[in-house]
Amino acid sequence: MMVRKLWDCFHIPIFGLVDADPHGIEILCVYKFGSKSYSFDSHNLTVPSIRWLGVLPSDIKHLQIRKESLIPLTKADMDKAGELIKRPYYKQIPAWMKEIQILLTSGYKAEIQTLTAISNNFLTDVYILNKIQHGGWI
């Protein structure tokens, strides 16, 4: 509700920074489309214009994050990804569909803190800053 209120009151762009895994993507979907349990009030809770800032599965490859820093997808992760792909609203955002396909193809997921494998301050000093300045969100 707070994120929706900020969006309504200040008309600021809202970005999501989540783990590059099916559960992180689902969290982002809840902000964008709402949850089943609060579907009756989704108009007051969701932020339809939210953008996925990261961590994108495609970022893992572009940033050349070492496999030792990544986590193999579990069966539960693959099942969750399959559920996400089947949701009717998911087809509305082909860039998100592409990212989930990249995730499944790679067989690995990354948590936000994985970016510290590049450097301790990479997330705050480089990644987020560059993503916002250069439009690296979807």
Side-chain angles (χ1 to χ4, degrees), residues 18-30 52 55 57 71-85 87 90 99-101 103-104 107-110:
V18 297
D19 291 339
D21 70 13
H23 298 282
I25 298 167
E26 183 172 43
I27 290 168
L28 199 58
C29 287
V30 169
W52 186 3
V55 174
I71 304 164
L73 289 173
T74 65
K75 173 147 176 28
D77 291 325
M78 290 184 260
D79 291 346
K80 175 61 72 180
E83 289 174 29
L84 287 170
I85 289 170
R87 293 181 186 176
Y90 217 73
E99 291 295 327
I100 213 158
Q101 290 300 329
L103 182 76
L104 290 169
Y108 289 92
K109 59 186 176 181

PDB file of all heavy atoms in Angstrom, residues 18-30 52 55 57 71-85 87 90 99-101 103-104 107-110:
ATOM      1  N   VAL A  18      14.839  -7.113  -7.258  1.00  0.00           N
ATOM      2  CA  VAL A  18      14.541  -8.419  -6.663  1.00  0.00           C
ATOM      3  C   VAL A  18      15.603  -9.426  -7.093  1.00  0.00           C
ATOM      4  O   VAL A  18      16.369  -9.183  -8.025  1.00  0.00           O
ATOM      5  CB  VAL A  18      13.133  -8.928  -7.082  1.00  0.00           C
ATOM      6  CG1 VAL A  18      12.027  -8.009  -6.570  1.00  0.00           C
ATOM      7  CG2 VAL A  18      13.021  -9.091  -8.593  1.00  0.00           C
ATOM      8  N   ASP A  19      15.640 -10.547  -6.394  1.00  0.00           N
ATOM      9  CA  ASP A  19      16.538 -11.630  -6.779  1.00  0.00           C
ATOM     10  C   ASP A  19      16.190 -12.104  -8.184  1.00  0.00           C
ATOM     11  O   ASP A  19      15.025 -12.082  -8.584  1.00  0.00           O
ATOM     12  CB  ASP A  19      16.405 -12.811  -5.817  1.00  0.00           C
ATOM     13  CG  ASP A  19      16.935 -12.519  -4.424  1.00  0.00           C
ATOM     14  OD1 ASP A  19      17.746 -11.591  -4.265  1.00  0.00           O
ATOM     15  OD2 ASP A  19      16.541 -13.243  -3.481  1.00  0.00           O
ATOM     16  N   ALA A  20      17.200 -12.540  -8.907  1.00  0.00           N
ATOM     17  CA  ALA A  20      16.992 -13.110 -10.242  1.00  0.00           C
ATOM     18  C   ALA A  20      16.627 -14.577 -10.075  1.00  0.00           C
ATOM     19  O   ALA A  20      17.413 -15.483 -10.339  1.00  0.00           O
ATOM     20  CB  ALA A  20      18.246 -12.945 -11.095  1.00  0.00           C
ATOM     21  N   ASP A  21      15.423 -14.785  -9.584  1.00  0.00           N
ATOM     22  CA  ASP A  21      14.877 -16.133  -9.423  1.00  0.00           C
ATOM     23  C   ASP A  21      13.364 -16.060  -9.511  1.00  0.00           C
ATOM     24  O   ASP A  21      12.792 -14.966  -9.469  1.00  0.00           O
ATOM     25  CB  ASP A  21      15.371 -16.785  -8.122  1.00  0.00           C
ATOM     26  CG  ASP A  21      14.812 -16.177  -6.855  1.00  0.00           C
ATOM     27  OD1 ASP A  21      13.848 -15.386  -6.903  1.00  0.00           O
ATOM     28  OD2 ASP A  21      15.331 -16.516  -5.780  1.00  0.00           O
ATOM     29  N   PRO A  22      12.685 -17.188  -9.673  1.00  0.00           N
ATOM     30  CA  PRO A  22      11.228 -17.164  -9.832  1.00  0.00           C
ATOM     31  C   PRO A  22      10.490 -16.509  -8.663  1.00  0.00           C
ATOM     32  O   PRO A  22       9.467 -15.866  -8.861  1.00  0.00           O
ATOM     33  CB  PRO A  22      10.856 -18.638  -9.967  1.00  0.00           C
ATOM     34  CG  PRO A  22      12.078 -19.262 -10.552  1.00  0.00           C
ATOM     35  CD  PRO A  22      13.221 -18.534  -9.903  1.00  0.00           C
ATOM     36  N   HIS A  23      11.019 -16.631  -7.470  1.00  0.00           N
ATOM     37  CA  HIS A  23      10.335 -16.044  -6.317  1.00  0.00           C
ATOM     38  C   HIS A  23      10.484 -14.524  -6.314  1.00  0.00           C
ATOM     39  O   HIS A  23       9.552 -13.805  -5.954  1.00  0.00           O
ATOM     40  CB  HIS A  23      10.844 -16.669  -5.020  1.00  0.00           C
ATOM     41  CG  HIS A  23      10.572 -18.140  -4.971  1.00  0.00           C
ATOM     42  ND1 HIS A  23       9.333 -18.657  -4.671  1.00  0.00           N
ATOM     43  CD2 HIS A  23      11.368 -19.203  -5.232  1.00  0.00           C
ATOM     44  CE1 HIS A  23       9.374 -19.969  -4.729  1.00  0.00           C
ATOM     45  NE2 HIS A  23      10.598 -20.336  -5.078  1.00  0.00           N
ATOM     46  N   GLY A  24      11.639 -14.021  -6.732  1.00  0.00           N
ATOM     47  CA  GLY A  24      11.820 -12.586  -6.872  1.00  0.00           C
ATOM     48  C   GLY A  24      10.902 -12.019  -7.940  1.00  0.00           C
ATOM     49  O   GLY A  24      10.295 -10.959  -7.766  1.00  0.00           O
ATOM     50  N   ILE A  25      10.779 -12.746  -9.035  1.00  0.00           N
ATOM     51  CA  ILE A  25       9.897 -12.317 -10.123  1.00  0.00           C
ATOM     52  C   ILE A  25       8.446 -12.314  -9.651  1.00  0.00           C
ATOM     53  O   ILE A  25       7.681 -11.406  -9.977  1.00  0.00           O
ATOM     54  CB  ILE A  25      10.093 -13.207 -11.369  1.00  0.00           C
ATOM     55  CG1 ILE A  25      11.531 -13.084 -11.880  1.00  0.00           C
ATOM     56  CG2 ILE A  25       9.092 -12.849 -12.465  1.00  0.00           C
ATOM     57  CD1 ILE A  25      11.933 -14.142 -12.906  1.00  0.00           C
ATOM     58  N   GLU A  26       8.079 -13.298  -8.847  1.00  0.00           N
ATOM     59  CA  GLU A  26       6.712 -13.334  -8.332  1.00  0.00           C
ATOM     60  C   GLU A  26       6.439 -12.133  -7.422  1.00  0.00           C
ATOM     61  O   GLU A  26       5.350 -11.559  -7.463  1.00  0.00           O
ATOM     62  CB  GLU A  26       6.438 -14.633  -7.584  1.00  0.00           C
ATOM     63  CG  GLU A  26       4.996 -14.702  -7.102  1.00  0.00           C
ATOM     64  CD  GLU A  26       4.627 -16.045  -6.519  1.00  0.00           C
ATOM     65  OE1 GLU A  26       5.439 -16.611  -5.765  1.00  0.00           O
ATOM     66  OE2 GLU A  26       3.513 -16.508  -6.813  1.00  0.00           O
ATOM     67  N   ILE A  27       7.401 -11.755  -6.611  1.00  0.00           N
ATOM     68  CA  ILE A  27       7.229 -10.567  -5.762  1.00  0.00           C
ATOM     69  C   ILE A  27       6.963  -9.346  -6.635  1.00  0.00           C
ATOM     70  O   ILE A  27       6.067  -8.545  -6.361  1.00  0.00           O
ATOM     71  CB  ILE A  27       8.474 -10.359  -4.876  1.00  0.00           C
ATOM     72  CG1 ILE A  27       8.545 -11.459  -3.812  1.00  0.00           C
ATOM     73  CG2 ILE A  27       8.468  -8.963  -4.235  1.00  0.00           C
ATOM     74  CD1 ILE A  27       9.865 -11.538  -3.069  1.00  0.00           C
ATOM     75  N   LEU A  28       7.715  -9.213  -7.696  1.00  0.00           N
ATOM     76  CA  LEU A  28       7.515  -8.104  -8.622  1.00  0.00           C
ATOM     77  C   LEU A  28       6.114  -8.146  -9.239  1.00  0.00           C
ATOM     78  O   LEU A  28       5.451  -7.114  -9.373  1.00  0.00           O
ATOM     79  CB  LEU A  28       8.582  -8.181  -9.712  1.00  0.00           C
ATOM     80  CG  LEU A  28       8.861  -6.939 -10.510  1.00  0.00           C
ATOM     81  CD1 LEU A  28       9.277  -5.783  -9.633  1.00  0.00           C
ATOM     82  CD2 LEU A  28       9.929  -7.226 -11.536  1.00  0.00           C
ATOM     83  N   CYS A  29       5.657  -9.342  -9.580  1.00  0.00           N
ATOM     84  CA  CYS A  29       4.307  -9.508 -10.145  1.00  0.00           C
ATOM     85  C   CYS A  29       3.222  -9.083  -9.153  1.00  0.00           C
ATOM     86  O   CYS A  29       2.205  -8.516  -9.551  1.00  0.00           O
ATOM     87  CB  CYS A  29       4.082 -10.952 -10.572  1.00  0.00           C
ATOM     88  SG  CYS A  29       4.980 -11.420 -12.064  1.00  0.00           S
ATOM     89  N   VAL A  30       3.436  -9.345  -7.880  1.00  0.00           N
ATOM     90  CA  VAL A  30       2.454  -8.942  -6.867  1.00  0.00           C
ATOM     91  C   VAL A  30       2.339  -7.422  -6.843  1.00  0.00           C
ATOM     92  O   VAL A  30       1.246  -6.873  -6.761  1.00  0.00           O
ATOM     93  CB  VAL A  30       2.810  -9.512  -5.476  1.00  0.00           C
ATOM     94  CG1 VAL A  30       1.958  -8.874  -4.388  1.00  0.00           C
ATOM     95  CG2 VAL A  30       2.630 -11.027  -5.461  1.00  0.00           C
ATOM     96  N   TRP A  52      11.046  -3.396 -13.755  1.00  0.00           N
ATOM     97  CA  TRP A  52      11.986  -4.358 -13.187  1.00  0.00           C
ATOM     98  C   TRP A  52      13.390  -3.827 -13.434  1.00  0.00           C
ATOM     99  O   TRP A  52      13.923  -3.895 -14.543  1.00  0.00           O
ATOM    100  CB  TRP A  52      11.765  -5.702 -13.849  1.00  0.00           C
ATOM    101  CG  TRP A  52      12.541  -6.844 -13.295  1.00  0.00           C
ATOM    102  CD1 TRP A  52      13.390  -6.847 -12.219  1.00  0.00           C
ATOM    103  CD2 TRP A  52      12.546  -8.175 -13.803  1.00  0.00           C
ATOM    104  NE1 TRP A  52      13.909  -8.105 -12.031  1.00  0.00           N
ATOM    105  CE2 TRP A  52      13.407  -8.936 -12.995  1.00  0.00           C
ATOM    106  CE3 TRP A  52      11.912  -8.801 -14.858  1.00  0.00           C
ATOM    107  CZ2 TRP A  52      13.637 -10.287 -13.209  1.00  0.00           C
ATOM    108  CZ3 TRP A  52      12.132 -10.135 -15.082  1.00  0.00           C
ATOM    109  CH2 TRP A  52      12.988 -10.873 -14.260  1.00  0.00           C
ATOM    110  N   VAL A  55      17.525  -7.698 -10.168  1.00  0.00           N
ATOM    111  CA  VAL A  55      18.602  -8.252 -10.964  1.00  0.00           C
ATOM    112  C   VAL A  55      17.957  -9.074 -12.084  1.00  0.00           C
ATOM    113  O   VAL A  55      17.164  -9.970 -11.810  1.00  0.00           O
ATOM    114  CB  VAL A  55      19.525  -9.142 -10.104  1.00  0.00           C
ATOM    115  CG1 VAL A  55      20.573  -9.844 -10.956  1.00  0.00           C
ATOM    116  CG2 VAL A  55      20.184  -8.356  -8.975  1.00  0.00           C
ATOM    117  N   PRO A  57      17.933 -11.802 -15.073  1.00  0.00           N
ATOM    118  CA  PRO A  57      18.719 -12.973 -15.454  1.00  0.00           C
ATOM    119  C   PRO A  57      19.722 -12.673 -16.566  1.00  0.00           C
ATOM    120  O   PRO A  57      20.826 -13.202 -16.566  1.00  0.00           O
ATOM    121  CB  PRO A  57      17.654 -13.982 -15.884  1.00  0.00           C
ATOM    122  CG  PRO A  57      16.476 -13.632 -15.025  1.00  0.00           C
ATOM    123  CD  PRO A  57      16.495 -12.122 -14.979  1.00  0.00           C
ATOM    124  N   ILE A  71      23.494 -19.834  -7.873  1.00  0.00           N
ATOM    125  CA  ILE A  71      22.842 -20.958  -7.198  1.00  0.00           C
ATOM    126  C   ILE A  71      22.059 -21.745  -8.250  1.00  0.00           C
ATOM    127  O   ILE A  71      21.268 -21.162  -9.004  1.00  0.00           O
ATOM    128  CB  ILE A  71      21.873 -20.447  -6.111  1.00  0.00           C
ATOM    129  CG1 ILE A  71      22.611 -19.547  -5.120  1.00  0.00           C
ATOM    130  CG2 ILE A  71      21.186 -21.604  -5.396  1.00  0.00           C
ATOM    131  CD1 ILE A  71      21.695 -18.711  -4.252  1.00  0.00           C
ATOM    132  N   PRO A  72      22.252 -23.056  -8.314  1.00  0.00           N
ATOM    133  CA  PRO A  72      21.480 -23.847  -9.284  1.00  0.00           C
ATOM    134  C   PRO A  72      19.975 -23.760  -8.983  1.00  0.00           C
ATOM    135  O   PRO A  72      19.570 -23.727  -7.818  1.00  0.00           O
ATOM    136  CB  PRO A  72      21.980 -25.277  -9.073  1.00  0.00           C
ATOM    137  CG  PRO A  72      23.286 -25.145  -8.362  1.00  0.00           C
ATOM    138  CD  PRO A  72      23.207 -23.876  -7.564  1.00  0.00           C
ATOM    139  N   LEU A  73      19.193 -23.700 -10.045  1.00  0.00           N
ATOM    140  CA  LEU A  73      17.733 -23.717  -9.874  1.00  0.00           C
ATOM    141  C   LEU A  73      17.311 -25.073  -9.312  1.00  0.00           C
ATOM    142  O   LEU A  73      17.817 -26.112  -9.743  1.00  0.00           O
ATOM    143  CB  LEU A  73      17.027 -23.491 -11.210  1.00  0.00           C
ATOM    144  CG  LEU A  73      17.110 -22.097 -11.822  1.00  0.00           C
ATOM    145  CD1 LEU A  73      16.510 -22.110 -13.226  1.00  0.00           C
ATOM    146  CD2 LEU A  73      16.411 -21.067 -10.956  1.00  0.00           C
ATOM    147  N   THR A  74      16.377 -25.043  -8.380  1.00  0.00           N
ATOM    148  CA  THR A  74      15.819 -26.272  -7.831  1.00  0.00           C
ATOM    149  C   THR A  74      14.575 -26.660  -8.617  1.00  0.00           C
ATOM    150  O   THR A  74      14.070 -25.876  -9.429  1.00  0.00           O
ATOM    151  CB  THR A  74      15.444 -26.084  -6.355  1.00  0.00           C
ATOM    152  OG1 THR A  74      14.377 -25.110  -6.289  1.00  0.00           O
ATOM    153  CG2 THR A  74      16.633 -25.625  -5.516  1.00  0.00           C
ATOM    154  N   LYS A  75      14.072 -27.840  -8.350  1.00  0.00           N
ATOM    155  CA  LYS A  75      12.806 -28.258  -8.972  1.00  0.00           C
ATOM    156  C   LYS A  75      11.695 -27.292  -8.592  1.00  0.00           C
ATOM    157  O   LYS A  75      10.866 -26.924  -9.433  1.00  0.00           O
ATOM    158  CB  LYS A  75      12.448 -29.682  -8.562  1.00  0.00           C
ATOM    159  CG  LYS A  75      11.058 -30.090  -9.058  1.00  0.00           C
ATOM    160  CD  LYS A  75      10.958 -31.525  -9.391  1.00  0.00           C
ATOM    161  CE  LYS A  75       9.590 -31.988  -9.794  1.00  0.00           C
ATOM    162  NZ  LYS A  75       8.681 -31.073 -10.416  1.00  0.00           N
ATOM    163  N   ALA A  76      11.681 -26.851  -7.331  1.00  0.00           N
ATOM    164  CA  ALA A  76      10.664 -25.888  -6.879  1.00  0.00           C
ATOM    165  C   ALA A  76      10.780 -24.572  -7.654  1.00  0.00           C
ATOM    166  O   ALA A  76       9.758 -23.963  -8.004  1.00  0.00           O
ATOM    167  CB  ALA A  76      10.807 -25.638  -5.375  1.00  0.00           C
ATOM    168  N   ASP A  77      12.006 -24.139  -7.929  1.00  0.00           N
ATOM    169  CA  ASP A  77      12.204 -22.918  -8.729  1.00  0.00           C
ATOM    170  C   ASP A  77      11.642 -23.105 -10.138  1.00  0.00           C
ATOM    171  O   ASP A  77      10.958 -22.226 -10.667  1.00  0.00           O
ATOM    172  CB  ASP A  77      13.698 -22.576  -8.841  1.00  0.00           C
ATOM    173  CG  ASP A  77      14.319 -22.123  -7.546  1.00  0.00           C
ATOM    174  OD1 ASP A  77      13.643 -21.450  -6.744  1.00  0.00           O
ATOM    175  OD2 ASP A  77      15.511 -22.439  -7.335  1.00  0.00           O
ATOM    176  N   MET A  78      11.936 -24.249 -10.734  1.00  0.00           N
ATOM    177  CA  MET A  78      11.452 -24.510 -12.091  1.00  0.00           C
ATOM    178  C   MET A  78       9.925 -24.615 -12.124  1.00  0.00           C
ATOM    179  O   MET A  78       9.286 -24.124 -13.055  1.00  0.00           O
ATOM    180  CB  MET A  78      12.121 -25.748 -12.661  1.00  0.00           C
ATOM    181  CG  MET A  78      13.586 -25.501 -12.956  1.00  0.00           C
ATOM    182  SD  MET A  78      14.397 -26.884 -13.737  1.00  0.00           S
ATOM    183  CE  MET A  78      15.211 -27.600 -12.331  1.00  0.00           C
ATOM    184  N   ASP A  79       9.350 -25.232 -11.091  1.00  0.00           N
ATOM    185  CA  ASP A  79       7.886 -25.312 -11.000  1.00  0.00           C
ATOM    186  C   ASP A  79       7.276 -23.923 -10.864  1.00  0.00           C
ATOM    187  O   ASP A  79       6.278 -23.606 -11.509  1.00  0.00           O
ATOM    188  CB  ASP A  79       7.462 -26.188  -9.822  1.00  0.00           C
ATOM    189  CG  ASP A  79       7.790 -27.662 -10.025  1.00  0.00           C
ATOM    190  OD1 ASP A  79       8.109 -28.061 -11.171  1.00  0.00           O
ATOM    191  OD2 ASP A  79       7.743 -28.414  -9.022  1.00  0.00           O
ATOM    192  N   LYS A  80       7.878 -23.077 -10.026  1.00  0.00           N
ATOM    193  CA  LYS A  80       7.391 -21.711  -9.834  1.00  0.00           C
ATOM    194  C   LYS A  80       7.488 -20.928 -11.137  1.00  0.00           C
ATOM    195  O   LYS A  80       6.564 -20.202 -11.507  1.00  0.00           O
ATOM    196  CB  LYS A  80       8.188 -21.018  -8.724  1.00  0.00           C
ATOM    197  CG  LYS A  80       7.857 -19.559  -8.500  1.00  0.00           C
ATOM    198  CD  LYS A  80       6.434 -19.311  -8.091  1.00  0.00           C
ATOM    199  CE  LYS A  80       6.169 -19.765  -6.686  1.00  0.00           C
ATOM    200  NZ  LYS A  80       4.771 -19.525  -6.278  1.00  0.00           N
ATOM    201  N   ALA A  81       8.581 -21.082 -11.863  1.00  0.00           N
ATOM    202  CA  ALA A  81       8.746 -20.405 -13.155  1.00  0.00           C
ATOM    203  C   ALA A  81       7.663 -20.867 -14.130  1.00  0.00           C
ATOM    204  O   ALA A  81       7.076 -20.048 -14.853  1.00  0.00           O
ATOM    205  CB  ALA A  81      10.131 -20.677 -13.728  1.00  0.00           C
ATOM    206  N   GLY A  82       7.383 -22.161 -14.135  1.00  0.00           N
ATOM    207  CA  GLY A  82       6.327 -22.684 -14.990  1.00  0.00           C
ATOM    208  C   GLY A  82       4.969 -22.101 -14.651  1.00  0.00           C
ATOM    209  O   GLY A  82       4.178 -21.792 -15.542  1.00  0.00           O
ATOM    210  N   GLU A  83       4.704 -21.934 -13.359  1.00  0.00           N
ATOM    211  CA  GLU A  83       3.444 -21.314 -12.925  1.00  0.00           C
ATOM    212  C   GLU A  83       3.362 -19.859 -13.398  1.00  0.00           C
ATOM    213  O   GLU A  83       2.317 -19.409 -13.863  1.00  0.00           O
ATOM    214  CB  GLU A  83       3.338 -21.328 -11.396  1.00  0.00           C
ATOM    215  CG  GLU A  83       3.097 -22.676 -10.770  1.00  0.00           C
ATOM    216  CD  GLU A  83       3.165 -22.586  -9.240  1.00  0.00           C
ATOM    217  OE1 GLU A  83       2.855 -21.512  -8.682  1.00  0.00           O
ATOM    218  OE2 GLU A  83       3.539 -23.596  -8.615  1.00  0.00           O
ATOM    219  N   LEU A  84       4.458 -19.144 -13.257  1.00  0.00           N
ATOM    220  CA  LEU A  84       4.475 -17.733 -13.661  1.00  0.00           C
ATOM    221  C   LEU A  84       4.187 -17.581 -15.147  1.00  0.00           C
ATOM    222  O   LEU A  84       3.399 -16.725 -15.555  1.00  0.00           O
ATOM    223  CB  LEU A  84       5.834 -17.101 -13.342  1.00  0.00           C
ATOM    224  CG  LEU A  84       6.142 -16.826 -11.879  1.00  0.00           C
ATOM    225  CD1 LEU A  84       7.603 -16.432 -11.706  1.00  0.00           C
ATOM    226  CD2 LEU A  84       5.231 -15.740 -11.330  1.00  0.00           C
ATOM    227  N   ILE A  85       4.820 -18.411 -15.953  1.00  0.00           N
ATOM    228  CA  ILE A  85       4.653 -18.330 -17.404  1.00  0.00           C
ATOM    229  C   ILE A  85       3.197 -18.587 -17.808  1.00  0.00           C
ATOM    230  O   ILE A  85       2.709 -18.018 -18.781  1.00  0.00           O
ATOM    231  CB  ILE A  85       5.609 -19.314 -18.111  1.00  0.00           C
ATOM    232  CG1 ILE A  85       7.046 -18.802 -17.980  1.00  0.00           C
ATOM    233  CG2 ILE A  85       5.243 -19.511 -19.571  1.00  0.00           C
ATOM    234  CD1 ILE A  85       8.102 -19.788 -18.432  1.00  0.00           C
ATOM    235  N   ARG A  87       0.495 -17.736 -16.143  1.00  0.00           N
ATOM    236  CA  ARG A  87      -0.440 -16.693 -15.699  1.00  0.00           C
ATOM    237  C   ARG A  87      -0.834 -15.815 -16.885  1.00  0.00           C
ATOM    238  O   ARG A  87       0.019 -15.429 -17.690  1.00  0.00           O
ATOM    239  CB  ARG A  87       0.185 -15.860 -14.584  1.00  0.00           C
ATOM    240  CG  ARG A  87       0.387 -16.681 -13.329  1.00  0.00           C
ATOM    241  CD  ARG A  87       0.966 -15.873 -12.213  1.00  0.00           C
ATOM    242  NE  ARG A  87       1.264 -16.745 -11.078  1.00  0.00           N
ATOM    243  CZ  ARG A  87       1.841 -16.344  -9.982  1.00  0.00           C
ATOM    244  NH1 ARG A  87       2.189 -15.071  -9.819  1.00  0.00           N
ATOM    245  NH2 ARG A  87       2.084 -17.196  -8.996  1.00  0.00           N
ATOM    246  N   TYR A  90       1.017 -12.522 -17.781  1.00  0.00           N
ATOM    247  CA  TYR A  90       2.441 -12.601 -18.078  1.00  0.00           C
ATOM    248  C   TYR A  90       2.732 -12.399 -19.562  1.00  0.00           C
ATOM    249  O   TYR A  90       3.767 -11.872 -19.927  1.00  0.00           O
ATOM    250  CB  TYR A  90       3.010 -13.931 -17.577  1.00  0.00           C
ATOM    251  CG  TYR A  90       4.388 -13.771 -17.027  1.00  0.00           C
ATOM    252  CD1 TYR A  90       4.601 -13.153 -15.806  1.00  0.00           C
ATOM    253  CD2 TYR A  90       5.488 -14.212 -17.739  1.00  0.00           C
ATOM    254  CE1 TYR A  90       5.878 -12.984 -15.307  1.00  0.00           C
ATOM    255  CE2 TYR A  90       6.771 -14.051 -17.236  1.00  0.00           C
ATOM    256  CZ  TYR A  90       6.947 -13.432 -16.027  1.00  0.00           C
ATOM    257  OH  TYR A  90       8.215 -13.253 -15.544  1.00  0.00           O
ATOM    258  N   GLU A  99      13.151 -12.912 -19.998  1.00  0.00           N
ATOM    259  CA  GLU A  99      14.055 -13.045 -18.857  1.00  0.00           C
ATOM    260  C   GLU A  99      13.841 -14.372 -18.123  1.00  0.00           C
ATOM    261  O   GLU A  99      14.793 -15.008 -17.693  1.00  0.00           O
ATOM    262  CB  GLU A  99      13.894 -11.869 -17.888  1.00  0.00           C
ATOM    263  CG  GLU A  99      14.401 -10.555 -18.436  1.00  0.00           C
ATOM    264  CD  GLU A  99      15.904 -10.517 -18.680  1.00  0.00           C
ATOM    265  OE1 GLU A  99      16.670 -11.162 -17.935  1.00  0.00           O
ATOM    266  OE2 GLU A  99      16.320  -9.823 -19.621  1.00  0.00           O
ATOM    267  N   ILE A 100      12.604 -14.791 -17.998  1.00  0.00           N
ATOM    268  CA  ILE A 100      12.352 -16.065 -17.317  1.00  0.00           C
ATOM    269  C   ILE A 100      12.858 -17.226 -18.165  1.00  0.00           C
ATOM    270  O   ILE A 100      13.359 -18.221 -17.625  1.00  0.00           O
ATOM    271  CB  ILE A 100      10.879 -16.216 -16.896  1.00  0.00           C
ATOM    272  CG1 ILE A 100      10.807 -17.013 -15.599  1.00  0.00           C
ATOM    273  CG2 ILE A 100      10.033 -16.860 -17.919  1.00  0.00           C
ATOM    274  CD1 ILE A 100       9.570 -16.815 -14.793  1.00  0.00           C
ATOM    275  N   GLN A 101      12.794 -17.091 -19.475  1.00  0.00           N
ATOM    276  CA  GLN A 101      13.356 -18.117 -20.359  1.00  0.00           C
ATOM    277  C   GLN A 101      14.884 -18.166 -20.219  1.00  0.00           C
ATOM    278  O   GLN A 101      15.469 -19.255 -20.186  1.00  0.00           O
ATOM    279  CB  GLN A 101      12.963 -17.853 -21.813  1.00  0.00           C
ATOM    280  CG  GLN A 101      11.500 -18.095 -22.102  1.00  0.00           C
ATOM    281  CD  GLN A 101      11.068 -19.526 -21.826  1.00  0.00           C
ATOM    282  OE1 GLN A 101      11.828 -20.468 -21.955  1.00  0.00           O
ATOM    283  NE2 GLN A 101       9.816 -19.678 -21.419  1.00  0.00           N
ATOM    284  N   LEU A 103      16.535 -17.377 -17.569  1.00  0.00           N
ATOM    285  CA  LEU A 103      16.754 -17.997 -16.256  1.00  0.00           C
ATOM    286  C   LEU A 103      16.672 -19.519 -16.355  1.00  0.00           C
ATOM    287  O   LEU A 103      17.560 -20.229 -15.886  1.00  0.00           O
ATOM    288  CB  LEU A 103      15.721 -17.461 -15.260  1.00  0.00           C
ATOM    289  CG  LEU A 103      15.815 -17.959 -13.838  1.00  0.00           C
ATOM    290  CD1 LEU A 103      16.958 -17.270 -13.109  1.00  0.00           C
ATOM    291  CD2 LEU A 103      14.511 -17.678 -13.106  1.00  0.00           C
ATOM    292  N   LEU A 104      15.619 -20.006 -16.981  1.00  0.00           N
ATOM    293  CA  LEU A 104      15.426 -21.455 -17.106  1.00  0.00           C
ATOM    294  C   LEU A 104      16.508 -22.100 -17.970  1.00  0.00           C
ATOM    295  O   LEU A 104      16.991 -23.183 -17.657  1.00  0.00           O
ATOM    296  CB  LEU A 104      14.039 -21.756 -17.663  1.00  0.00           C
ATOM    297  CG  LEU A 104      12.878 -21.465 -16.717  1.00  0.00           C
ATOM    298  CD1 LEU A 104      11.547 -21.543 -17.453  1.00  0.00           C
ATOM    299  CD2 LEU A 104      12.905 -22.397 -15.521  1.00  0.00           C
ATOM    300  N   GLY A 107      19.792 -22.328 -15.983  1.00  0.00           N
ATOM    301  CA  GLY A 107      19.764 -23.281 -14.879  1.00  0.00           C
ATOM    302  C   GLY A 107      20.286 -22.720 -13.564  1.00  0.00           C
ATOM    303  O   GLY A 107      20.444 -23.447 -12.591  1.00  0.00           O
ATOM    304  N   TYR A 108      20.538 -21.399 -13.539  1.00  0.00           N
ATOM    305  CA  TYR A 108      21.067 -20.765 -12.339  1.00  0.00           C
ATOM    306  C   TYR A 108      20.261 -19.531 -11.963  1.00  0.00           C
ATOM    307  O   TYR A 108      19.685 -18.868 -12.823  1.00  0.00           O
ATOM    308  CB  TYR A 108      22.526 -20.342 -12.548  1.00  0.00           C
ATOM    309  CG  TYR A 108      23.474 -21.514 -12.609  1.00  0.00           C
ATOM    310  CD1 TYR A 108      23.808 -22.098 -13.825  1.00  0.00           C
ATOM    311  CD2 TYR A 108      24.020 -22.039 -11.448  1.00  0.00           C
ATOM    312  CE1 TYR A 108      24.670 -23.179 -13.881  1.00  0.00           C
ATOM    313  CE2 TYR A 108      24.884 -23.126 -11.496  1.00  0.00           C
ATOM    314  CZ  TYR A 108      25.204 -23.680 -12.708  1.00  0.00           C
ATOM    315  OH  TYR A 108      26.047 -24.758 -12.758  1.00  0.00           O
ATOM    316  N   LYS A 109      20.272 -19.237 -10.665  1.00  0.00           N
ATOM    317  CA  LYS A 109      19.637 -18.031 -10.163  1.00  0.00           C
ATOM    318  C   LYS A 109      20.679 -17.222  -9.402  1.00  0.00           C
ATOM    319  O   LYS A 109      21.752 -17.721  -9.057  1.00  0.00           O
ATOM    320  CB  LYS A 109      18.459 -18.378  -9.242  1.00  0.00           C
ATOM    321  CG  LYS A 109      18.825 -19.230  -8.031  1.00  0.00           C
ATOM    322  CD  LYS A 109      17.583 -19.634  -7.263  1.00  0.00           C
ATOM    323  CE  LYS A 109      17.931 -20.576  -6.108  1.00  0.00           C
ATOM    324  NZ  LYS A 109      16.728 -20.979  -5.382  1.00  0.00           N
ATOM    325  N   ALA A 110      20.346 -15.950  -9.169  1.00  0.00           N
ATOM    326  CA  ALA A 110      21.264 -15.070  -8.451  1.00  0.00           C
ATOM    327  C   ALA A 110      20.477 -14.216  -7.472  1.00  0.00           C
ATOM    328  O   ALA A 110      19.421 -13.681  -7.815  1.00  0.00           O
ATOM    329  CB  ALA A 110      22.019 -14.177  -9.423  1.00  0.00           C
TER     330      ALA A 110
END
